[in-house]
Amino acid sequence: MSDISNHSRKSTTRDSFLKGTFILAVAGIVVKVIGSLNWIFVSRVLGGEGIGLYQMAFPIYLLALSVSSAGIPVAISIITAEKIALKDIFGARRVFRISLTLLAVTGGLFSLLTYFGAGFLVEYKFIRDPRAYYSVVALAPAIFFVTILSSFRGYLQGWQMMTPTAVSQILEQIFRVITMIVFANMLLPRGLEYAAAGASLGAFAGAVAGLAVLIYYYWRLDADLKSQYDFQAPANNLEPSNSIIRRIFKLALPVSAASLMLPIVANLDLLIVPARLEAAGYSVEQATELFGYLTGMAVPLINLATILTASVATSIVPAISEAQSLGDKLTVFQRTASAMRISNLITFPAFMMIFLLDAPIAEMIYNAPSAGPAIGVMSTSIVLLGIHQVTTGVLQGLGHTTIPVINMGVAAVVKVGLNWLLTAMPELGIKGSAWATVADIGVAAVMNMYYVNRYVGYNIDVKEIVKTMGATAVMGIAVYYAYAEVSLLLHSSTLATLAAMVIGASVYGITLLITGGINERDVIRVPIFGNFAVKLLRAAGIFK
């Protein structure tokens, strides 16, 4: 059998951890930009109430999707990385085929359950607004295709090949956006509930397009590896399929439970938040609109700010798993430290920028300045969310997949209690629910950090954090005054917001370079642009 490292260089070109992160981050930015542009148009078509109907159906979709995939995609990524590190290519491919079969069955089952169970959810008030029924039905077919799609992504990510995921995400988003805009406009004359359902069809169109891309990359990889399969006959002691299935579920079930926590909490929000807003004195329509501001506008914006940390979390799972399977503790520590540093460098300025420009950003993106208060509160969760995402990836890569779900369960209990208490307070309203979400993320992040320190020995570098926070504070001052001055000069909130963001980002980068928060070694490690940036900074006299 040929050497796996040689084979990888020749045929698969496995991406490094940082390169994989960069690829996913670029794709994530493209996807989010397309998605943000989409929400600008869709929000103008549906309004806050229509977005609320869409968001009432979406947690049901997420819950069914999480149960149907059962954490298997992450398990595929972890086990594939282990097999490759041990040069067991045949075993990695066999694990994928078995898991793909499982996902096809569960995806089809939950797609049908969602379609035929939509009426039950409305009848028994799991969905308080019956108009959301049509959106649930429209989302049901997507569950099968997204479940199959996730199995391919998990396998290719196990090879630390992030390009297939990146390309499929972009194409998936393009088809999703086109479908949402076309069908929302087409069905609006029939009623707001039908327009929301039309927008929901975008998930199906996007999933089909993304799956087609991943199948193409899988075939390419399979063709590259075909010669090696010919020489690598199955061993006599080939592991039985039942044993593989048991191992997949042993690893996948805790990951599944962690994944399930998000839609479960979202469904609890669906049950609690609108009802408690009504208890605070809002009408059903007002409560639905405020719910749309939080879940359809504030939360997606916060997720936009953590694109890079989400990419780091995805890339680090197989990277940590590979190092762990080889017993390389130093590499595990270094990759963890690198991931956390990237997270802090990105999330601190993102928090400050969104916090200071909450209402202007809401007006610029959504044409809904009333969403500003919810966005402002939620911005405080950005740093915590970055930490939570990265630490979850590290723990999963180490094989401690149970820990994140326990931590998320504890955090969810805190959120439910705070949601019930704070949202019903008239002086807080939807801001109370936003603060409950911040607390939820914070509790989970702190608990994750404890276990990362325990198993990896990693502690946050106080000196680096001080530099990052200092640069963030300087940036905040620049953003505040830039927005005020440009707004007075141009009399345009949108132009002032864009100018403040550009000026703030520039000031942040320059401050980090001056204070040593970023050094030449950091810059040169940036894929594609690193060498050019170092030459430019040397010419400017910043680097010697």
Side-chain angles (χ1 to χ4, degrees):
M1 183 176 70
S2 61
D3 183 69
I4 182 60
S5 61
N6 292 333
H7 167 76
S8 297
R9 285 193 295 269
K10 289 191 296 183
S11 61
T12 63
T13 315
R14 291 172 60 197
D15 303 311
S16 67
F17 164 59
L18 287 178
K19 184 179 178 183
T21 297
F22 178 78
I23 291 170
L24 289 179
V26 170
I29 291 171
V30 173
V31 167
K32 291 297 184 180
V33 168
I34 296 172
S36 296
L37 292 174
N38 170 57
W39 280 113
I40 292 174
F41 295 110
V42 174
S43 297
R44 291 174 185 267
V45 174
L46 299 180
E49 190 175 353
I51 295 295
L53 292 175
Y54 177 87
Q55 291 297 329
M56 284 183 173
F58 208 72
I60 306 297
Y61 165 76
L62 289 179
L63 179 61
L65 186 61
S66 297
V67 175
S68 68
S69 59
I72 294 176
V74 175
I76 296 171
S77 176
I78 294 171
I79 298 174
T80 298
E82 292 175 358
K83 295 286 187 182
I84 294 168
L86 299 174
K87 305 180 183 180
D88 184 9
I89 308 304
F90 184 88
R93 187 169 180 268
R94 187 162 179 260
V95 167
F96 167 68
R97 287 186 167 181
I98 292 172
S99 60
L100 178 62
T101 302
L102 290 174
L103 288 173
V105 172
T106 57
L109 175 63
F110 280 93
S111 186
L112 291 173
L113 285 175
T114 302
Y115 181 85
F116 291 107
F120 171 85
L121 295 172
V122 171
E123 181 180 355
Y124 287 90
K125 302 297 182 183
F126 286 97
I127 298 176
R128 295 185 65 83
D129 196 322
R131 295 175 297 170
Y133 165 83
Y134 301 100
S135 294
V136 177
V137 169
L139 286 166
I143 295 171
F144 173 76
F145 290 96
V146 174
T147 300
I148 297 298
L149 176 150
S150 65
S151 66
F152 282 90
R153 279 185 181 159
Y155 176 66
L156 294 170
Q157 287 171 5
W159 280 90
Q160 298 188 54
M161 295 172 60
M162 302 302 165
T163 299
T165 294
V167 175
S168 68
Q169 285 176 340
I170 292 172
L171 198 63
E172 180 182 355
Q173 183 73 322
I174 290 172
F175 275 79
R176 175 175 174 268
V177 165
I178 293 173
T179 303
M180 288 184 73
I181 294 173
V182 170
F183 280 89
N185 279 283
M186 185 185 301
L187 296 175
L188 184 60
R190 296 190 59 183
L192 195 58
E193 62 269 38
Y194 292 102
S200 300
L201 287 172
F204 167 74
V208 173
L211 179 59
V213 171
L214 290 172
I215 290 174
Y216 164 74
Y217 277 101
Y218 171 78
W219 282 343
R220 280 184 53 181
L221 174 63
D222 207 38
D224 288 341
L225 297 172
K226 199 66 176 179
S227 60
Q228 184 161 337
Y229 291 145
D230 293 339
F231 290 102
Q232 185 177 332
N236 293 329
N237 59 345
L238 187 67
E239 186 178 5
S241 298
N242 289 341
S243 176
I244 292 176
I245 292 173
R246 283 196 298 270
R247 188 185 174 203
I248 289 173
F249 276 109
K250 182 179 180 180
L251 182 61
L253 286 177
V255 178
S256 172
S259 299
L260 279 171
M261 289 306 302
L262 294 176
I264 286 174
V265 170
N267 278 277
L268 289 174
D269 285 347
L270 175 61
L271 291 173
I272 295 172
V273 174
R276 298 302 285 169
L277 285 172
E278 292 173 31
Y282 296 96
S283 67
V284 173
E285 290 76 15
Q286 289 173 327
T288 299
E289 185 173 7
L290 290 171
F291 187 70
Y293 287 154
L294 177 63
T295 59
M297 298 182 184
V299 172
L301 189 59
I302 300 311
N303 290 335
L304 176 65
T306 53
I307 289 175
L308 188 56
T309 52
S311 301
V312 171
T314 300
S315 297
I316 205 170
V317 173
I320 292 290
S321 178
E322 178 188 49
Q324 178 77 355
S325 66
L326 296 174
D328 190 348
K329 295 183 179 179
L330 177 60
T331 298
V332 170
F333 179 89
Q334 289 174 337
R335 288 176 176 173
T336 299
S338 177
M340 288 299 300
R341 187 157 180 262
I342 292 171
S343 174
N344 291 330
L345 285 171
I346 297 300
T347 56
F348 272 96
F351 145 67
M352 181 63 72
M353 197 170 291
I354 295 176
F355 178 78
L356 293 174
L357 301 173
D358 53 2
I361 289 175
E363 182 179 4
M364 179 179 69
I365 296 178
Y366 302 117
N367 193 34
S370 297
I375 291 173
V377 173
M378 283 296 298
S379 69
T380 60
S381 71
I382 293 175
V383 175
L384 298 171
L385 181 56
I387 294 172
H388 178 256
Q389 289 171 332
V390 171
T391 52
T392 296
V394 171
L395 291 170
Q396 288 177 346
L398 290 172
H400 298 298
T401 54
T402 303
I403 293 173
V405 68
I406 294 175
N407 295 345
M408 291 176 71
V410 173
V413 172
V414 173
K415 179 180 182 179
V416 168
L418 291 176
N419 252 341
W420 184 266
L421 292 173
L422 301 180
T423 309
M425 295 181 180
E427 64 273 21
L428 289 178
I430 199 63
K431 289 193 293 184
S433 181
W435 279 119
T437 303
V438 173
D440 173 30
I441 297 170
V443 170
V446 170
M447 294 181 71
N448 273 9
M449 276 298 301
Y450 167 79
Y451 285 101
V452 168
N453 171 262
R454 178 177 174 181
Y455 291 113
V456 180
Y458 171 78
N459 284 307
I460 291 177
D461 190 326
V462 176
K463 183 179 179 181
E464 291 294 335
I465 284 291
V466 169
K467 291 179 181 179
T468 302
M469 293 177 66
T472 300
V474 174
M475 184 205 75
I477 295 171
V479 168
Y480 179 83
Y481 284 105
Y483 177 81
E485 294 299 323
V486 176
S487 183
L488 288 173
L489 181 64
L490 301 180
H491 304 288
S492 171
S493 176
T494 297
L495 292 177
T497 301
L498 292 173
M501 293 171 71
V502 172
I503 293 170
S506 301
V507 169
Y508 176 71
I510 293 170
T511 305
L512 281 177
L513 289 169
I514 293 173
T515 60
I518 293 178
N519 54 42
E520 183 173 341
R521 182 171 174 270
D522 295 325
V523 177
I524 204 168
R525 293 172 66 192
V526 176
I528 300 176
F529 305 109
N531 290 327
F532 173 77
V534 167
K535 292 179 181 178
L536 193 65
L537 291 169
R538 282 176 179 171
I542 297 177
F543 292 154
K544 303 298 183 183

